Amino acid sequence: VQLQASGGGLVQAGGSLTLSCALSGRTASSYVMGWFRQAPGKEREFVAAISWTGDRTYYGDSVQGRFTISRNNDQKKAYLQMNSLNAEDTAVYYCAAKGGGSGWLIADTYDYWGQGTLVTVSS
């Protein structure tokens, strides 16, 4: 399974950006999709996760109400819509996939990772 994240870039504070994650390879399984981020000098942080069917979503406290995770299984893609961005959102954003189970908020439980896409928010 391979993941390809895209959509990062430079945005002004208060702006919006949408990240995409394309899933390829052995995709017959029902994967939970997650987004994590890592800012310079900080640990990797949980951002959002979504179930295979899309009926369950989870968000980190710092992005709740501003970010929205979604997915399109026909297109084998997941998305992260980011609104009201601020400087603290500056980080490399990673998409990840796991085959189920618990620990959706925990990076170590994810089996597959994309290469990351950089989001820079200018104040």
Side-chain angles (χ1 to χ4, degrees), residues 91-108:
V92 176
Y93 284 71
Y94 298 89
C95 61
K98 65 195 302 309
S102 60
W104 289 24
L105 281 64
I106 302 173
D108 288 345

Side-chain angles (χ1 to χ4, degrees), residues 55-95:
D55 61 335
R56 284 191 295 166
T57 57
Y58 297 93
Y59 295 94
D61 291 341
S62 61
V63 306
Q64 179 76 47
R66 299 187 298 121
F67 291 12
T68 302
I69 188 171
S70 62
R71 67 189 299 163
N72 184 321
N73 291 335
D74 290 337
Q75 296 183 352
K76 299 179 181 179
K77 286 188 174 180
Y79 302 94
L80 185 68
Q81 172 68 43
M82 306 184 294
N83 298 325
S84 302
L85 287 162
N86 57 60
E88 288 68 40
D89 296 315
T90 294
V92 176
Y93 284 71
Y94 298 89
C95 61

Side-chain angles (χ1 to χ4, degrees), residues 4 14 17 21 25 31 33 39-40 57 72 92 94-95 97 107-108 112 118:
Q4 179 75 38
L17 206 59
C21 179
Y31 292 109
M33 298 297 296
T57 57
N72 184 321
V92 176
Y94 298 89
C95 61
D108 288 345
Y112 307 101
L118 176 63

Side-chain angles (χ1 to χ4, degrees), residues 6-23:
S6 62
L10 176 64
V11 61
Q12 289 187 335
S16 299
L17 206 59
T18 299
L19 305 182
S20 298
C21 179
L23 183 67

Side-chain angles (χ1 to χ4, degrees), residues 8-45:
L10 176 64
V11 61
Q12 289 187 335
S16 299
L17 206 59
T18 299
L19 305 182
S20 298
C21 179
L23 183 67
S24 62
R26 182 183 176 186
T27 57
S29 299
S30 303
Y31 292 109
V32 169
M33 298 297 296
W35 287 95
F36 292 79
R37 67 186 183 185
Q38 189 165 19
K42 295 186 177 181
E43 294 187 354
R44 192 164 294 191
E45 174 190 16

